[in-house]
């Protein structure tokens, strides 16, 4: 079972984000980490490798510094990495990201492509499905459980109020939700081993794509405006005279908001 | 000149930082109250490789060198001193005495299992009548056939009660003074080895220290580290690295104390404004920042020297005395910034103040470090 995990380097979730004049996040101004959702995909791929054999390859598109994210995944136990980096790819939207990843995937040998359900910066969640579309493969998104059996991949697909059981022959694209597993820490041995693992670098010209298909010129979606999240309104403080009054006030509140 | 940490050391730092934040920090009060590190946590730390950081890769170690070891200690300094103490006694002192002075056979026999944490090590040098004056230890080792018989007692041995093996320093030739001291690896289950009571300390809760006694303890001759009479040399070289990492831990503790003081100074309102608006507070914060930076640079430089194969005893002494005394000043200011809250058990800073005090004493007091530095100066080396 050879798995390629597509990861994205994102600004640290706790960091204060700044925006460039064209409404893109200023990635140079913040600390960048592996998209936390992708860590679940990496962990799930490593578990598949441990149970089924095979290999795990990490694929990312991003600035040269995205190599750090690949390196961390290699330290967790992945076998090799591919970094697609080129100034021409800067500003790619979800569609062209999927296009670029699909072209890079065409050069790799895989049974499964895994991703996190979305990235914590843009949060569109579009890339996994767009990627499956580009690759003409089945798309199994929002998996909270992944199982390989009888030549098929079966997942529990998270939906409001429960889950669907979905299966497909592989190769297929699977995106996982938070909580599908508990991602491991890289070990010290893993860190040292990662130094010696190969990271292949690809540029735009390696992808055999028309010049206007990616980057700013290839965008199909445009960020029109960026608005900061509105401040949270102050909470209501109730100062009752007795425990009974407090219990009553809490019950009224819960009832008013239809919790009980 | 390049001040950037190597990539693998940066990754190690990020790993330990994340692990400390997510797993160890929530346990600070528990470790303090129960005076022990939970077994599950110790196992996790071993699985991550934290018990093997400086050991050579050919002996199953992480091979991250003195710099990696120091950077990890800096991060561990942000929580209870118990963690750096157990690793320090195990890796930096016991393990490195074998790695630096032991035969290939001895290294192969112990380091791989120490690296995984399967066996825990301790370093037994100090005695009731030989602390700073380490050359005048009284424990003896008498050759008897193809083994040695060890007799004597050791004091305040970190990891003493739990260790599976000890690096023990004993006199093989009384007339030779420091050159008559030899170092041995002694396994815990050797007949004649017994453990005394566990010490009650001012701080360092969660780190177990005790006396260890040797009564006709028979140790195979191949457990001699290096040659007879080279024990003091082994001790000093081991302590160079130990003092460097101790300095790193002081830097980490000081950084954590400054971070807490900074946070508190912005929150605490007096006379209608955060106390951080007062220059009296700002100067304390600024002085701490300056001194921590100086200490950190000294540690990295010393670690680099060791990793590049140079002797660094002089630097180790300077790092030890500066960083431990710097920590004393920084943590004292942090308590002062906290005011009465800083004296309360429920605040981390109270524990840190107590944990800090020992750093000016163990692994060579400030006075011994100054003695070493002055001797180097006066001898013109």
């Amino acid at each position: 079972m050879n798995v390629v995990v597509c990861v994205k380097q994102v600004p640290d979730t706790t960091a204060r984000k700044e925006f460039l004049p064209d409404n893109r996040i200023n990635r140079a101004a913040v600390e960048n980490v592996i998209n936390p959702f992708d860590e679940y995909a990496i962990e799930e791929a490593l578990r598949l490798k441990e149970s089924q054999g095979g290999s795990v390859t990490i694929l990312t598109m991003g600035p040269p510094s995205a190599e750090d994210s690949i390196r961390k995944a290699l330290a967790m136990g992945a076998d090799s990495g591919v970094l697609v980096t080129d100034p021409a790819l800067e500003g790619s939207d979800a569609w062209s990201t999927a296009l670029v990843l699909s072209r890079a995937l065409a050069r790799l040998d895989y049974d499964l492509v895994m991703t996190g359900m979305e990235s914590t910066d843009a949060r569109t969640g579009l890339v996994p499905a767009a990627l499956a579309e580009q690759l003409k493969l089945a798309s199994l998104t929002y998996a909270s459980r992944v199982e390989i059996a009888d030549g098929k991949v079966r997942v529990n697909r998270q939906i409001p109020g429960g889950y669907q059981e979905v299966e497909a022959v592989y190769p297929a694209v699977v995106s996982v939700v938070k909580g599908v597993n508990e991602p491991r820490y890289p070990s010290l041995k893993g860190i040292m081993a990662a130094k010696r693992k190969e990271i292949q670098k690809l540029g735009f010209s390696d992808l055999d794509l028309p010049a206007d298909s990616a980057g700013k010129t290839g965008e199909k979606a445009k960020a029109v405006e960026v608005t900061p999240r509105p401040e949270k309104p102050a909470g209501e403080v109730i100062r009752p005279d007795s425990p009974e009054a407090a219990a009553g006030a809490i019950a009224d509140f819960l009832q008013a908001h239809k919790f009980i | 000149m390049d001040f950037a940490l190597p990539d693998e050391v940066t990754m190690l730092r990020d790993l330990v930082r994340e692990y400390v934040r997510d797993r160890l920090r929530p346990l600070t009060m528990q470790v303090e109250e129960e005076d022990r590190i939970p077994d599950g946590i110790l196992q996790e730390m071993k699985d991550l490789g934290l018990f093997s950081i400086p050991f050579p890769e050919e002996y199953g170690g992480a091979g991250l060198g003195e710099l990696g070891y120091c950077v990890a200690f800096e991060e561990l300094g942000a929580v209870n001193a118990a963690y750096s103490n157990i690793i320090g006694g195990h890796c930096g002192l016991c393990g490195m005495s074998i790695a630096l002075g032991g035969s290939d056979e001895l290294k192969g026999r112990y380091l791989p299992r120490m690296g995984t944490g399967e066996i825990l090590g301790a370093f037994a040098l100090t005695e009731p009548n030989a602390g700073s004056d380490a050359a005048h230890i009284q424990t003896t080792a008498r050759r008897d056939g193809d083994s040695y018989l060890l007799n004597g007692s050791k004091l305040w041995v970190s990891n003493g009660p739990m260790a599976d093996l000890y690096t023990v320093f004993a006199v093989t030739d009384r007339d030779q003074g420091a050159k008559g001291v030899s170092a041995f690896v002694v396994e815990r289950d050797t007949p004649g080895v017994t453990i005394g009571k566990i010490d009650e300390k001012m701080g360092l809760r969660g780190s177990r220290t005790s006396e260890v006694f040797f009564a006709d303890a028979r140790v195979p001759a191949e457990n001699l580290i290096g040659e007879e009479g080279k024990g003091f040399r082994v001790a000093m070289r081991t302590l160079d690295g130990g003092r460097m990492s101790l300095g790193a831990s002081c830097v980490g503790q000081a950084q954590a104390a400054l971070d807490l003081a900074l946070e508190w100074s912005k929150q605490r309102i007096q006379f209608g404004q955060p106390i951080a608006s007062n220059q009296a507070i700002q100067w304390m914060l600024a002085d701490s920042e300056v001194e921590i930076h100086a200490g950190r640079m000294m540690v990295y430089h010393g670690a680099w020297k060791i990793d590049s194969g140079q002797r660094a005893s002089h630097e180790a002494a300077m790092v030890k005395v500066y960083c431990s005394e710097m920590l004393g000043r920084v943590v004292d200011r942090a308590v002062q910034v906290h005011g009465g809250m800083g004296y309360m058990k429920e605040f981390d800073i109270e524990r840190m103040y107590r944990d800090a005090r020992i750093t000016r004493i163990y692994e060579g007091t400030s006075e011994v470090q100054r003695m070493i530095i002055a001797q180097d100066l006066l001898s013109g080396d």
Side-chain angles (χ1 to χ4, degrees):
Chain A
M1 171 74 31
N2 296 329
V3 185
V4 176
V5 185
C6 299
V7 307
K8 183 180 185 183
Q9 192 181 46
V10 297
D12 191 345
T13 350
T14 55
R16 235 188 130 78
K17 297 183 185 77
E18 289 170 23
F19 291 87
L20 298 167
D22 64 355
N23 293 328
R24 286 184 300 124
I25 296 172
N26 182 359
R27 294 173 195 278
V30 287
E31 177 128 4
N32 292 296
V33 299
I34 295 188
N35 171 36
F37 289 110
D38 295 340
E39 290 197 11
Y40 297 100
I42 295 166
E43 176 64 35
E44 203 57 29
L46 292 173
R47 290 183 189 194
L48 285 177
K49 175 186 154 182
E50 282 157 7
S51 64
Q52 316 273 328
S55 68
V56 176
T57 303
I58 306 299
L59 168 62
T60 192
M61 179 185 87
S65 66
E67 188 176 331
D68 294 346
S69 290
I70 297 181
R71 205 60 79 181
K72 183 177 177 190
L74 294 178
M76 287 169 77
D79 300 281
S80 60
V82 179
L83 170 63
V84 187
T85 186
D86 200 305
L89 296 168
E90 218 174 288
S92 292
D93 61 11
W95 178 257
S96 46
T97 299
L99 182 64
V100 167
L101 292 177
S102 72
R103 289 304 172 98
L105 275 157
R107 306 165 67 107
L108 300 170
D109 165 38
Y110 57 89
D111 301 302
L112 216 54
V113 177
M114 296 190 91
T115 70
M117 60 175 255
E118 63 184 20
S119 61
T120 56
D121 51 358
R123 286 196 182 269
T124 66
L126 294 173
V127 171
L131 189 55
E133 192 61 31
Q134 294 280 3
L135 295 166
K136 305 279 180 262
L137 295 177
S139 161
L140 297 82
T141 49
Y142 303 104
S144 59
R145 182 162 179 274
V146 181
E147 193 190 14
I148 301 291
D150 312 324
K152 288 179 180 168
V153 51
R154 282 192 200 133
V155 311
N156 291 354
R157 183 174 188 271
Q158 205 84 23
I159 54 169
Y163 63 85
Q164 299 171 319
E165 290 179 16
V166 186
E167 66 173 34
V169 289
Y170 52 77
V173 178
V174 176
S175 80
V176 298
V177 298
K178 178 181 171 176
V180 64
N181 53 44
E182 179 76 39
R184 68 195 64 185
Y185 292 97
S187 72
L188 268 55
K189 281 224 162 83
I191 288 173
M192 293 307 277
K195 270 175 69 177
R196 297 183 274 267
K197 289 177 183 169
E198 190 204 355
I199 297 180
Q200 190 191 351
K201 293 199 177 92
L202 298 177
F204 188 68
S205 60
D206 298 313
L207 302 173
D208 200 20
L209 283 170
D212 61 353
S213 58
K216 282 303 277 180
T217 52
E219 73 182 0
K220 293 194 165 21
K222 200 176 182 66
V224 181
E225 199 185 334
V226 176
T227 312
R229 182 166 45 196
E231 290 290 321
K232 229 164 105 180
E236 186 188 346
V237 181
I238 305 166
R239 300 182 195 283
D241 305 323
S242 67
E244 291 75 16
I250 291 169
D252 288 347
F253 174 87
L254 292 175
Q255 215 156 27
H257 290 82
K258 298 195 173 6
F259 286 115
I260 52 174
Chain B
M1 175 172 269
D2 185 357
F3 278 99
L5 293 174
D7 286 347
E8 65 273 19
V9 176
T10 305
M11 287 176 82
L12 167 70
R13 184 198 61 197
D14 292 348
L15 161 67
V16 181
R17 186 174 291 176
E18 201 176 315
Y19 184 73
V20 163
R21 183 195 63 204
D22 296 344
R23 304 288 292 155
L24 304 186
R25 182 169 292 294
L27 295 173
T28 44
M29 286 297 171
Q30 185 188 328
V31 169
E32 190 66 8
E33 275 160 28
E34 296 176 1
D35 196 13
R36 68 194 304 273
I37 302 172
D39 291 340
I41 291 290
L42 275 182
Q43 193 54 50
E44 271 179 15
M45 294 173 75
K46 289 171 183 175
D47 292 345
L48 287 176
L50 294 177
F51 280 53
S52 76
I53 302 172
F55 297 166
E57 279 188 286
E58 63 260 44
Y59 294 105
L64 279 150
E66 186 68 19
L67 182 63
Y69 188 56
C70 284
V71 164
F73 263 49
E74 197 183 327
E75 296 302 323
L76 287 172
V79 280
N80 313 61
Y83 302 106
S84 49
N85 269 261
I86 189 169
I87 297 176
H90 169 81
C91 264
L93 298 182
C94 180
M96 286 313 286
S97 65
I98 298 170
L100 290 169
S103 63
D104 290 347
E105 192 273 325
L106 212 53
K107 288 190 256 193
R109 182 138 49 99
Y110 292 113
L111 290 180
R113 285 186 295 148
M114 290 185 78
T116 59
E118 181 195 331
I119 49 175
L120 185 72
F123 190 75
L125 173 62
T126 298
E127 297 183 359
N129 295 318
S132 292
D133 188 6
H136 286 90
I137 55 175
Q138 289 169 338
T139 298
T140 57
R142 185 169 54 79
R143 181 92 194 204
D144 182 44
D146 53 6
S147 54
Y148 288 86
L149 286 173
L150 265 66
N151 282 286
S153 62
K154 296 290 180 178
L155 203 62
W156 303 329
V157 180
S158 289
N159 302 342
M162 314 94 83
D164 300 290
L165 73 161
Y166 303 89
T167 297
V168 181
F169 294 86
V171 174
T172 38
D173 184 351
R174 177 74 63 203
D175 300 332
Q176 296 284 320
K179 291 196 169 113
V181 174
S182 303
F184 299 87
V185 181
V186 182
E187 295 190 11
R188 159 73 177 268
D189 54 15
T190 307
V193 176
T194 50
I195 309 302
K197 73 170 178 52
I198 295 174
D199 303 314
E200 296 279 348
K201 305 179 295 299
M202 178 196 287
L204 299 189
R205 304 263 301 166
S207 167
R208 301 290 178 87
T209 66
S210 71
E211 282 176 289
V212 182
F213 303 108
F214 304 92
D216 278 338
R218 186 173 288 278
V219 178
E222 61 262 28
N223 278 25
L224 179 66
I225 301 179
E227 297 162 32
E228 246 188 55
K230 292 284 163 61
F232 202 66
R233 228 182 92 119
V234 168
M236 291 306 115
R237 282 200 61 195
T238 305
L239 285 170
D240 285 350
R243 285 166 183 167
M244 223 62 93
S245 59
L246 180 59
S249 148
C250 290
V251 169
Q253 291 176 60
Q255 184 66 58
L258 173 59
D259 291 346
L260 287 174
L262 195 59
E263 197 54 40
W264 180 255
S265 69
K266 290 191 279 190
Q267 276 175 23
R268 174 70 172 167
I269 309 286
Q270 287 291 279
F271 304 105
Q273 57 181 7
I275 59 172
S277 351
N278 301 317
Q279 207 174 46
I281 301 292
Q282 290 172 8
W283 284 23
M284 287 198 264
L285 299 174
D287 285 344
S288 296
E289 171 79 354
V290 172
E291 294 186 59
I292 291 168
H293 182 64
R296 183 176 286 127
M297 292 302 112
M298 288 175 79
V299 169
Y300 291 1
H301 170 259
W304 165 80
K305 228 180 154 184
I306 289 183
D307 285 340
S308 58
Q310 303 175 64
R311 275 301 296 274
S313 301
H314 190 66
E315 284 77 8
M318 294 196 290
V319 162
K320 166 69 168 65
V321 68
Y322 181 77
C323 292
S324 61
E325 295 186 355
M326 174 278 284
L327 169 61
R329 292 188 292 274
V330 169
V331 76
D332 186 76
R333 287 181 201 125
V335 171
Q336 196 66 20
V337 169
H338 278 79
M341 284 299 182
Y343 203 69
M344 297 298 125
K345 286 264 182 204
E346 71 204 83
F347 270 61
D348 253 1
I349 198 74
E350 185 271 344
R351 167 186 58 76
M352 294 170 77
Y353 187 75
R354 283 181 290 108
D355 278 353
R357 189 60 184 86
I358 190 65
T359 62
R360 279 145 65 190
I361 300 169
Y362 68 2
E363 288 196 40
T365 61
S366 284
E367 292 69 31
V368 163
Q369 307 307 329
R370 287 193 169 82
M371 207 170 81
I372 294 170
I373 297 162
Q375 275 168 4
D376 289 347
L377 281 175
L378 293 167
S379 69
D381 274 355

